[in-house]
Amino acid sequence: MGYFDAASAAPLHPVARQALLASLDEGWADPARLYREGRRARLLLDAAREAAAEAVGCRADELVFTPSGTRAVHSGVAGALAGRRRVGRHLIVSAVEHSSVLHAAEELERDGGTVTQVPVDRVGAVDAEAFAAALGDGTALACLQSANHEVGTEQPVTEVAEACRAAGVPLLVDAAQSLGWGKVQGDWSLLTASAHKWGGPSGVGLLVVRKGVRFAPQGAADERESGRAPGFENLPAIVAAAASLRAVRAEAAQEAARLRELTERIRARVPGLLPDVEVVGDAVRRLPGIVTFSCLYVDGETLLHELDRAGFSVSSGSSCTSSTLTPSHVLKAMGVLTEGNVRVSLPPGTPAEDVERFLEVLPGAVAAVRERLGAPAAAESAPQTGADLVVDAVGRRCPIPVIELAKVIGDVPVGGTVRVLSDDEAARLDIPAWCEMRGQEYVGEERAERGTAYLVRRIK
């Protein structure tokens, strides 16, 4: 089986397993107690904190362990905003942040604060100057991920951190995807991460708050973890998380080079193996193990099931996955195709043979899904029947509106238009993306009696 979804959760590292089992015997007592068992637990907790702090590049007393990466984000955002409430209630985030950051931003807006989303370019990167321009006198906090979780694009954290420091605004960096590969560069103020992303156990997050950052923990007071993460510490999991972080860092340089070669192999060969496919994300500034591509005329959920039957576990940011009918906010912000999206994220140790087998299986899986959906086999010239056509796709979900558009575009002469009627939100994203990929002109949208009319002009 090829497990290619490490960006969601990496397999448990052997060192994590060993540390977890050992600390179950030694670290079960309350580390706040002064008796022998408590002192032993305290030593394990302190050692884990020192190891994690060294990996992050911070002081041990700046780092606390939380019950998850999401909790670390929520606590970090809420605490930083509360600590700087006299400055203002303005938060800056990028448009492609993890949902945990965006949910925290929504909470601020519901409470009367304001949020600025900095847009990204077509590869998913923010412009550092645009981010700096969003900073203002009332800005209490800025958030920027170190690398994107869906497409792997690395963000200009160093440049943004410099701008934030000059403006006197703390920067929170979500380092969940990148921390296993190395320290986050730049003069950031707060940092969050999650152990299950680097091969540690689930249920352990990191929250780092640099000395000098105004921070007011929210919620009922608790004496543990500097009052920033209430509740009894899951000491065995914390020890395993710190041990595995140290272990993956020791292997990072060699493994990163190997995984980059494998993902570059996928990036280079997929466009030749599949017609009508777009590889997305930055080709150079990206994480080692992530490669993402989108296939026209493909239902993302169906494709994932097809690949699962072939023995490969991948994920999708498609608008048609089993959990939601809402298009991926990352792909939407990038302006790329949202349908038929496949994210391959290779865990450390992935054999090259598994990648080769994936590339052998993929064309057949995509072809099977396209045939099932009645997608056009190729761009064919058809008799030109008139200057304009209307495609009624109301009530039909992705990728059917785009498939129907592709079938009839050849029926109109060059300069003619196709009006696609659809009530699927994904059409607003995927029809312009189809035009970009196929060299046609997207004219815009109009209100219609049923749904929305999307206008496409044939230019070749």
Side-chain angles (χ1 to χ4, degrees):
M1 293 291 289
Y3 179 75
F4 289 176
D5 195 22
S8 294
L12 193 66
H13 194 282
V15 169
R17 183 182 302 276
Q18 295 169 3
L20 182 64
L21 293 175
S23 55
L24 285 172
D25 293 330
E26 297 294 327
W28 51 267
D30 187 346
R33 303 307 176 194
L34 299 179
Y35 42 70
R36 182 190 309 109
E37 294 85 356
R39 294 196 305 272
R40 186 184 300 131
R42 170 55 65 178
L43 287 173
L44 289 173
L45 180 59
D46 289 345
R49 198 184 313 278
E50 289 282 353
E54 181 182 2
V56 170
C58 66
R59 292 170 39 158
D61 59 354
E62 294 175 329
L63 184 149
V64 298
F65 295 104
T66 66
S68 69
T70 295
R71 174 53 59 191
V73 166
H74 290 172
S75 298
V77 171
L81 289 173
R84 287 173 49 81
R85 58 186 176 274
R86 293 184 179 179
V87 173
R89 307 196 68 207
H90 177 227
L91 171 67
I92 300 174
V93 301
S94 84
V96 294
E97 293 299 310
H98 188 269
S99 59
S100 60
V101 174
L102 298 183
H103 290 159
E106 291 169 0
E107 182 70 18
L108 173 64
E109 287 185 311
R110 283 192 293 268
D111 197 36
T114 60
V115 176
T116 297
Q117 278 198 13
V118 180
V120 297
D121 59 20
R122 194 169 173 82
V123 300
V126 302
D127 178 76
E129 293 184 1
F131 203 104
L135 298 166
D137 293 338
T139 305
L141 178 67
C143 297
L144 180 64
Q145 59 190 192
S146 54
N148 186 257
H149 50 293
E150 287 193 29
V151 300
T153 297
E154 294 179 334
Q155 300 292 354
V157 173
T158 299
E159 295 89 338
V160 169
E162 183 178 349
C164 288
R165 181 67 64 178
V169 175
L171 175 67
L172 184 151
V173 176
D174 172 15
Q177 290 296 336
S178 72
L179 191 60
W181 298 109
K183 296 178 181 178
V184 176
Q185 302 301 312
D187 196 10
W188 47 266
S189 301
L190 301 96
L191 180 142
T192 62
S194 187
H196 73 279
K197 301 291 188 179
W198 66 68
S202 59
V204 179
L206 303 181
L207 170 60
V208 179
V209 182
R210 295 282 200 190
K211 292 296 182 183
V213 174
R214 293 186 178 277
F215 192 88
Q218 298 302 284
D222 194 286
E223 293 76 19
R224 297 178 185 275
E225 294 300 297
S226 304
R228 295 173 183 171
F232 196 95
E233 298 93 344
N234 184 352
L235 189 53
I238 287 172
V239 171
S244 58
L245 181 55
R246 175 178 286 179
V248 298
R249 279 293 189 79
E251 306 159 353
Q254 181 176 355
E255 193 60 21
R258 199 180 69 83
L259 290 186
R260 284 190 189 280
E261 192 280 324
L262 293 179
T263 52
E264 186 56 40
R265 191 180 305 183
I266 297 172
R267 289 182 65 90
R269 289 174 55 184
V270 160
L273 294 170
L274 300 172
D276 299 313
V277 66
E278 180 180 18
V279 181
V280 300
D282 197 294
V284 178
R285 292 191 58 172
R286 60 186 175 87
L287 292 174
I290 297 180
V291 56
T292 305
F293 53 90
S294 297
C295 307
L296 275 174
Y297 321 132
V298 168
D299 177 330
E301 180 181 357
T302 305
L303 180 56
L304 263 58
H305 287 317
E306 197 74 24
L307 290 171
D308 184 42
R309 282 194 290 271
F312 291 96
S313 302
V314 300
S315 64
S316 174
S318 169
S319 57
C320 294
T321 56
S322 58
S323 60
T324 179
L325 290 177
T326 302
S328 157
H329 72 277
V330 171
L331 302 178
K332 179 179 179 180
M334 292 167 62
V336 299
L337 188 70
T338 65
E339 67 183 53
N341 177 263
V342 174
R343 179 187 69 181
V344 173
S345 50
L346 306 178
T350 298
E353 294 78 11
D354 284 1
V355 171
E356 285 298 322
R357 182 169 169 268
F358 174 77
L359 291 171
E360 293 174 3
V361 165
L362 181 64
V366 172
V369 175
R370 285 175 171 168
E371 182 179 6
R372 201 174 306 161
L373 293 172
E380 300 177 352
S381 178
Q384 297 176 0
T385 58
D388 299 281
L389 281 177
V390 175
V391 172
D392 189 347
V394 174
R396 309 182 73 184
R397 300 301 175 189
C398 70
I400 300 302
V402 177
I403 289 176
E404 296 303 318
L405 166 62
K407 286 180 177 180
V408 304
I409 191 69
D411 294 351
V412 299
V414 172
T417 61
V418 176
R419 179 178 274 98
V420 183
L421 302 179
S422 176
D423 56 354
D424 181 12
E425 179 65 23
R428 179 169 283 112
L429 309 173
D430 290 342
I431 290 177
W434 179 88
C435 292
E436 179 79 17
M437 293 175 68
R438 299 304 297 270
Q440 306 296 350
E441 180 186 356
Y442 178 66
V443 179
E445 63 179 70
E446 298 176 348
R447 294 183 62 181
E449 291 185 8
R450 298 169 59 245
T452 301
Y454 301 94
L455 278 65
V456 176
R457 179 176 290 115
R458 182 182 177 187
I459 60 175
K460 68 175 185 179

